[in-house]
Amino acid sequence: MSTPLRDSYNRPIRDLRVSLTDRCNFRCFYCLPHGEPPIAPKEQMLSYEEIEYVCDIFVELGIEKIRLTGGEPMMRRDIEQIVYKLAQLKEKGLRDLALTTNGYFLPHRAQSLKDAGLDRITISLDSLKRDVFRVMTGVDVLDRVLEGIEAAKQAGLSPIKINAVIVRGHNEDEVADFASFAREHDIKMRFIEYMPLDSGHDWSREDVVSGREIRQRIEEKFALRALDVVRGSETATRYVFDDGAPGEIGIIAPVTEAFCGACSRIRLTADGQIRTCLFSTVEHSLRDIVRDGASRSEIIDFIEAVVMKKEPRHYINDPGFVAPSRSMSFIGG
Ligand code: SAM
């Protein structure tokens, strides 16, 4: 194996997020508030063969964790096929193959994902109340997502992680309810601060519920104990319940407590662009290099050069901050 990828700040790059599609069947107001922008033509999207090929190279370069995302990754046809292919990379050094989904397709597909070799799953769930869920996601399918969570559990994709983006005026009053849900269902609950990654560019600082406030809201009901683990490149600060109940709490606070110093992530968009930061304003076309017939070693040189350009940090809190033009659904959350 080659030396692991490192950026110019000496951060090892171990995590790759691969977006399988820009398409999504939800309309979360903090991501795609004005509906889906025109999606890229099919020929611009990486094929499964191309994804498999470049992921093989990434794993050779030291990537240990691949997370499939989107858009809604389960809208890509036969996702089990690519899960199966990527799972074979575990023989070459991949340690963890995960998927982030809105859960809509899970009731009938959780088992086939597990059978194909998926290790872990993260399911987005912004509210436990039907009306709030509908307003936040644009679709009235809370029961189906809850069914999907249950199906994932039955399929053995545990421990299941749930992502909830907490936005002022929408669901901050549900934070403690989510903590109860985590205890009841033995779930790793992840609370995420609202980031300026919405396609409508309507984000405002007043809408952000800070990680600190989220923790306070939980502690009004349940005492938490910080997990005694080295955080490393993890996005979440993790806690367990002090009374020993099952479940776990993670708080992801990129806006108020940035964790860029230990970032180990890069992203590959569905149309084959490498992004070195969620907030990058530039992208690097791996697709063009691959389609122009570059050799494996030329592709490796390209990836290494791109990684050296990884930004030191994001600039959300700086006066001149410019949000990326593509929303989270295009970047691959
Ligand atoms: N469709 C899948 C899903 O819903 O999980 C995967 C893609 S989605 C873009 C990945 C994650 O990004 C979701 O948990 C979503 O809530 C989160 N997300 C999207 N826009 C966000 C924003 N503006 N701020 C914080 N998180 C966001």
Side-chain angles (χ1 to χ4, degrees):
M1 193 167 82
S2 335
T3 22
L5 282 171
R6 275 186 188 271
D7 71 8
S8 61
Y9 302 93
N10 210 26
R11 290 173 296 193
I13 304 302
R14 298 284 193 193
D15 299 351
L16 174 66
R17 299 204 174 179
V18 179
S19 172
L20 292 183
T21 178
D22 292 343
R23 296 178 53 213
C24 192
N25 53 337
F26 283 23
R27 291 290 173 270
C28 304
F29 77 86
Y30 52 76
C31 186
L32 283 176
H34 306 303
E36 206 167 35
I39 54 167
K42 193 163 177 266
E43 58 277 11
Q44 288 183 19
M45 313 304 271
L46 292 186
S47 66
Y48 278 170
E49 288 71 25
E50 287 171 328
I51 293 173
E52 186 191 349
Y53 177 55
V54 296
C55 284
D56 184 273
I57 295 177
F58 276 115
V59 169
E60 182 186 331
L61 289 172
I63 290 291
E64 293 177 340
K65 182 171 158 188
I66 295 179
R67 175 174 292 280
L68 300 175
T69 178
E72 172 45 47
M74 294 195 71
M75 285 187 80
R76 180 103 182 222
R77 189 188 297 252
D78 299 330
I79 184 184
E80 291 83 357
Q81 276 183 19
I82 189 69
V83 169
Y84 178 78
K85 295 279 188 195
L86 296 181
Q88 308 313 306
L89 295 177
K90 287 191 205 148
E91 286 163 19
K92 298 187 177 180
L94 181 68
R95 293 190 176 181
D96 191 18
L97 181 58
L99 171 77
T100 304
T101 173
N102 60 32
Y104 182 84
F105 297 101
L106 281 178
H108 308 295
R109 306 270 292 283
Q111 190 62 54
S112 56
L113 287 172
K114 175 71 181 171
D115 295 345
L118 189 71
D119 293 316
R120 292 186 306 116
I121 199 155
T122 300
I123 303 166
S124 300
L125 177 67
D126 294 328
S127 177
L128 295 163
K129 297 178 190 161
R130 182 176 168 186
D131 53 336
V132 179
F133 182 97
R134 182 178 41 77
V135 169
M136 290 190 77
T137 62
V139 284
D140 189 9
V141 295
L142 171 62
D143 285 348
R144 181 154 169 160
V145 173
L146 293 174
E147 236 181 89
I149 294 171
E150 190 49 40
K153 218 172 178 181
Q154 293 302 325
L157 286 164
S158 314
I160 291 165
K161 267 192 212 165
I162 301 286
N163 274 355
V165 181
I166 305 301
V167 187
R168 179 82 59 211
H170 287 270
N171 59 353
E172 76 267 36
D173 59 341
E174 285 191 71
V175 165
D177 296 344
F178 272 122
S180 299
F181 186 78
R183 292 163 64 94
E184 232 170 84
H185 298 275
D186 191 7
I187 269 169
K188 292 183 178 224
M189 195 60 222
R190 295 289 181 259
F191 296 97
I192 308 177
E193 285 180 349
Y194 177 27
M195 292 182 273
L197 288 169
D198 52 316
S199 67
H201 298 290
D202 292 328
W203 180 88
S204 129
R205 193 165 293 278
E206 287 77 62
D207 298 336
V208 177
V209 179
S210 70
R212 190 192 173 113
E213 179 179 332
I214 291 169
R215 182 174 166 184
Q216 279 166 355
R217 284 179 175 272
I218 300 170
E219 293 217 287
E220 279 166 16
K221 198 155 174 202
F222 306 110
L224 296 177
R225 183 162 40 83
L227 258 184
D228 192 14
V229 289
V230 181
R231 178 164 172 186
S233 61
E234 269 210 56
T235 52
T237 319
R238 295 163 59 192
Y239 304 89
V240 286
F241 295 103
D242 207 28
D243 63 2
E248 189 191 294
I249 298 295
I251 298 179
I252 303 179
V255 180
T256 64
E257 297 167 51
F259 37 81
C260 308
C263 182
S264 64
R265 283 167 288 284
I266 52 171
R267 291 177 156 77
L268 184 63
T269 64
D271 57 356
Q273 311 298 307
I274 300 178
R275 294 180 63 94
T276 48
C277 172
L278 256 185
F279 296 94
S280 292
T281 48
V282 285
E283 300 180 336
H284 310 271
S285 186
L286 183 59
R287 179 197 64 203
D288 290 350
I289 300 286
V290 169
R291 291 191 182 169
D292 286 349
S295 66
R296 192 171 174 104
S297 72
E298 285 168 337
I299 295 172
I300 288 175
D301 288 348
F302 176 78
I303 294 172
E304 286 176 342
V306 166
V307 162
M308 289 304 276
K309 294 180 188 155
K310 185 170 163 67
E311 298 77 349
R313 64 181 178 89
H314 68 62
Y315 299 99
I316 304 176
N317 299 310
D318 291 18
F321 171 71
V322 180
S325 54
R326 303 221 266 181
S327 78
M328 192 72 142
S329 66
F330 282 85
I331 294 167

